[in-house]
Amino acid sequence: MSKTLIDLRPVYVVGIGLHRYQRLSETTYVDLGLTAVRAALADAKIQWSEVEAAYTGTAFIGMAASRPMLRHLGATGIPMAQVENASASGSTAFRQACLEVASGISDVALAVGVDKPGPIAGAPGKTNIRDLVGARVLPFTHFALLANDYMNRNHVTAEQIALVAVKNNRNGARNPYAQRQKQVTLEEVMAGPAISGALTRLQCCPVGEGAAAVIVASEDAIARLEIDRNRAVRAVASVTRTERVYREAKNFDAELTGETVAQAYREASMTARDLDVLELHDAFTIEELLYLEAMGLCAPGEGARMIESGAADIGGQCAVSASGGLLAMGHPIGPTGVGQIAELTRQLRGEAGDRQQPNARVGLAHMVGVGAVCVVHILRKD
């Protein structure tokens, strides 16, 4: 019989670190990654020699990325592996680190995400099976069509959808690690430039470079290394699913999200009502509305009105994309999922400063990768 994370020994996030997400620069991926890893080690107050395994989430750098980067911390002989899972690369690296510790193979493991923009050499185009849609409908047009359908079905305006960008840029302006750190008005979002359909530039995430790192540990390691137990945040659910055939669905991303989040709720014995903070895959504004509904934070068709009411603001029912989300924090691909875990950890520790969700105790991180993969984690502060 298969097991879930909660069936294994407890695993905790004990260290977090980031390099700011930013436009392409002369900074090497090694410097980006080391900045994040060193910050995570300092946050956990442990040495590199205590880390027993490392997983690097990356999509653009190329093969064998871990060793040239991590050797600068010392040649300790630990197992290292690269994890590529499209936008969910960092989320999957974190999952592998959790399973490494929860299974008892290691006591301390590192998940680091690092990337710099580069050419996309995706495997789906090499299958020799012609895709009638994928090569002709770019992602922003795909989501612009979904936005148009959403407006028609739910009697929602383009301005109501654009409020997602206003909220997330407001949060990003408070985040020193965000690529976009400027508040914007609804008028500025709507002013364009237009990208596709109702979507304007500020309703589409920037893809830049950056790094994020998370260290996870067992209870034994926390005690042995004298890590501050009061700042440890437990991972209580880790779920990865891939798409099925959804005969009646208009949006397979939302269907896949609904299935994956429901499984995570079951594993953690929680519901949407338990969530205090949520980091989701908001690469385009319309995605946040669709996923809020798929996750059960509001009724179908009510996502835009939930944003308008302030329920998704910091201080509201559930702070959604308190980091700024992909729209403001940025989406450097490899680091994105790891950065979500870092933000949730900061929130659940009560260390998020002026973007702190009051009394945050439970957080959920959600990422999709090229539509076919969804990864969800739930963290809880005991």
Side-chain angles (χ1 to χ4, degrees):
M1 182 176 178
S2 61
K3 295 182 181 297
T4 68
L5 192 66
I6 206 71
D7 296 322
L8 304 174
R9 67 174 183 166
V11 56
Y12 296 85
V13 178
V14 297
I16 59 173
L18 293 106
H19 186 290
R20 181 186 173 180
Y21 299 175
Q22 59 192 18
R23 292 183 178 180
L24 179 63
S25 74
E26 297 297 319
T27 307
T28 68
Y29 90 86
V30 173
D31 287 335
L32 295 172
L34 288 176
T35 298
V37 175
R38 284 174 171 141
L41 289 168
D43 185 57
K45 295 184 172 58
I46 64 172
Q47 303 298 313
W48 171 245
S49 58
E50 310 292 354
V51 176
E52 301 170 22
Y55 293 91
T56 302
T58 183
F60 293 133
I61 293 174
M63 68 178 184
S66 297
R67 181 71 185 118
M69 174 174 62
L70 297 174
R71 68 181 178 185
H72 295 280
L73 298 171
T76 56
I78 63 170
M80 298 178 183
Q82 282 67 238
V83 180
E84 189 281 301
N85 212 2
S87 291
S89 296
S91 307
T92 308
F94 176 69
R95 174 176 162 81
Q96 293 305 116
C98 286
L99 295 178
E100 176 96 16
V101 170
S103 66
I105 293 174
S106 297
D107 269 338
V108 181
L110 167 73
V112 53
V114 60
D115 247 328
K116 293 178 71 72
I120 298 174
K126 302 173 183 176
T127 61
N128 288 335
I129 299 175
R130 186 181 180 191
D131 186 338
L132 297 178
V133 176
R136 289 165 174 76
V137 180
L138 294 171
F140 45 75
T141 297
H142 168 73
F143 286 104
L145 290 169
L146 287 176
N148 198 51
D149 175 68
Y150 187 92
M151 288 189 286
N152 290 332
R153 284 189 294 108
N154 300 304
H155 308 291
V156 166
T157 66
E159 286 77 9
Q160 286 175 289
I161 294 176
L163 285 174
V164 173
V166 176
K167 171 180 70 69
N168 293 357
N169 277 276
R170 181 169 63 241
N171 295 344
R174 304 175 184 177
N175 187 348
Y177 299 103
Q179 184 166 341
R180 290 173 174 164
Q181 296 184 21
K182 180 185 176 185
Q183 289 196 51
V184 294
T185 65
L186 179 60
E187 291 71 25
E188 289 173 320
V189 175
M190 295 301 296
I195 300 298
S196 184
L199 296 182
T200 56
R201 183 180 67 85
L202 289 174
Q203 296 185 68
C204 307
C205 68
V207 178
E209 64 181 26
V214 166
I215 295 170
V216 296
S218 66
E219 290 183 320
D220 288 346
I222 290 173
R224 174 169 50 83
L225 301 175
E226 299 182 343
I227 295 171
D228 187 351
R229 181 68 176 80
N230 292 323
R231 297 179 72 240
V233 174
R234 186 174 178 183
V236 292
S238 175
V239 179
T240 300
R241 290 185 62 85
T242 55
E243 65 180 336
R244 298 182 298 110
V245 176
Y246 305 111
R247 296 186 183 281
E248 304 298 327
K250 292 183 178 180
N251 178 10
F252 61 85
D253 291 321
E255 292 292 325
L256 176 58
T257 290
E259 288 182 345
T260 311
V261 170
Q263 185 174 333
Y265 287 156
R266 287 195 297 274
E267 291 187 8
S269 300
M270 292 179 182
T271 71
R273 289 189 295 276
D274 294 305
L275 299 181
D276 301 306
V277 285
L278 168 63
E279 292 288 316
L280 53 69
H281 187 278
D282 60 337
F284 303 94
T285 46
I286 183 62
E287 285 190 272
E288 182 161 314
L289 307 182
L290 295 170
Y291 299 146
L292 287 177
E293 296 171 15
M295 293 177 187
L297 273 90
C298 61
E302 292 297 318
R305 282 175 274 275
M306 179 179 177
I307 299 296
E308 203 168 27
S309 72
D313 289 352
I314 295 170
Q317 164 195 332
C318 175
V320 179
S321 298
S323 68
L326 277 61
L327 286 169
M329 178 74 176
H331 185 24
I333 310 297
T336 308
V338 182
Q340 289 182 322
I341 300 298
E343 174 66 16
L344 292 184
T345 300
R346 206 183 300 276
Q347 289 281 342
L348 300 183
R349 287 172 170 175
E351 298 176 350
D354 60 359
R355 63 176 192 284
Q356 177 67 50
Q357 172 71 346
N359 304 313
R361 182 172 169 273
V362 177
L364 186 148
H366 155 266
M367 282 294 292
V368 293
V370 193
V373 178
C374 184
V375 183
V376 170
H377 288 95
I378 296 179
L379 305 184
R380 184 185 71 205
K381 185 73 176 71
D382 293 330

